[in-house]
Amino acid sequence: MIKTLIIPVLFFSFTGYAQIDTTKWLRAFPITGYMLDLNDSTKVVQVLLNEGLKFEDKQLGMMRGVYKTSPADTVQKGYGRCHLIKGNYYYFTIGHNTSGLSLQEGDLLYTVVTKTAIYYGQIPRLASHSIELQDVYGHSLYDFNLVFDQWTEATEKAVIDTMVKDIWFTGNYFTRNEPSMDKLISKGKYKDRKLLSVMMECQPVVVNDFIDFMIACPGLYAGRKWKIAEVFATWLTEGAPTIIKETGAGRTRIPVKKT
């Protein structure tokens, strides 16, 4: 019983550990469609890593589901250790899945990796949860390899500016072509303002607020590809919940109802 409790406690300490240990950070990696049943309660899952990344033998990892239709999809789905390495393929034995949901391709394995000397801004924090943001045409706004190998503050600023322009473009397009979408926002900071109008007035600081929200609530977005204008519009419609940074207290809180 004691051993059973220690492992998840250690894992849930990973986030704090990665913040304290300046050589490590926490990242999520999607599993492939390869799965092998060892017994009724234990599965082998596979992660394919890019060149330059590696896990250690016996490294601890935890599985989480990816949002599909509700936050309930994002529950923990067990934990285990790396037991086999074949080139860039890493195999984890995962047990202790008490969620009632089976493991699926694309679910996320969270574990710690060695940090690289990059600018660890908002985009790397999004990418750490395997979140990909796209423009209105479905083109990725950042490359995961670049994010963790060569990211700079200037690169991040350029990507944020591109997001702002994409939101402007989308708001303007629907204003001209589908004005019925310009609904009144019913709550939050932009209450009683028109959605598309707010999008066309978007500034980088507002996108920064939205990304802060995504980072604070990663389960809603982790492991998925999202068009920035679409999820930004949803955020506005839901009242644009933002992170309140309490100066002096060293803490942040989110003024939104927990699900």
Side-chain angles (χ1 to χ4, degrees), residues 110-171:
Y110 278 87
T111 189
V112 292
V113 296
T114 301
K115 287 185 176 181
T116 52
I118 63 167
Y119 173 68
Y120 196 62
Q122 288 184 308
I123 302 303
R125 285 177 167 83
L126 284 182
S128 290
H129 292 283
S130 195
I131 299 170
E132 178 181 316
L133 294 180
Q134 303 176 333
D135 65 17
V136 70
Y137 298 109
H139 302 137
S140 179
L141 292 167
Y142 46 85
D143 181 280
F144 279 81
N145 293 329
L146 176 65
V147 165
F148 292 106
D149 290 339
Q150 306 173 36
W151 203 248
T152 66
E153 187 172 4
T155 306
E156 175 146 316
K157 182 180 183 301
V159 170
I160 297 296
D161 287 344
T162 300
M163 291 180 183
V164 171
K165 292 175 182 176
D166 189 77
I167 292 168
W168 288 348
F169 172 83
T170 305

Side-chain angles (χ1 to χ4, degrees), residues 167 199 202 206-207 210 227-236:
I167 292 168
M199 292 178 69
C202 178
V206 184
V207 172
F210 172 53
K227 291 183 178 180
I228 179 64
E230 291 181 1
V231 289
F232 181 79
T234 300
W235 176 71
L236 291 176

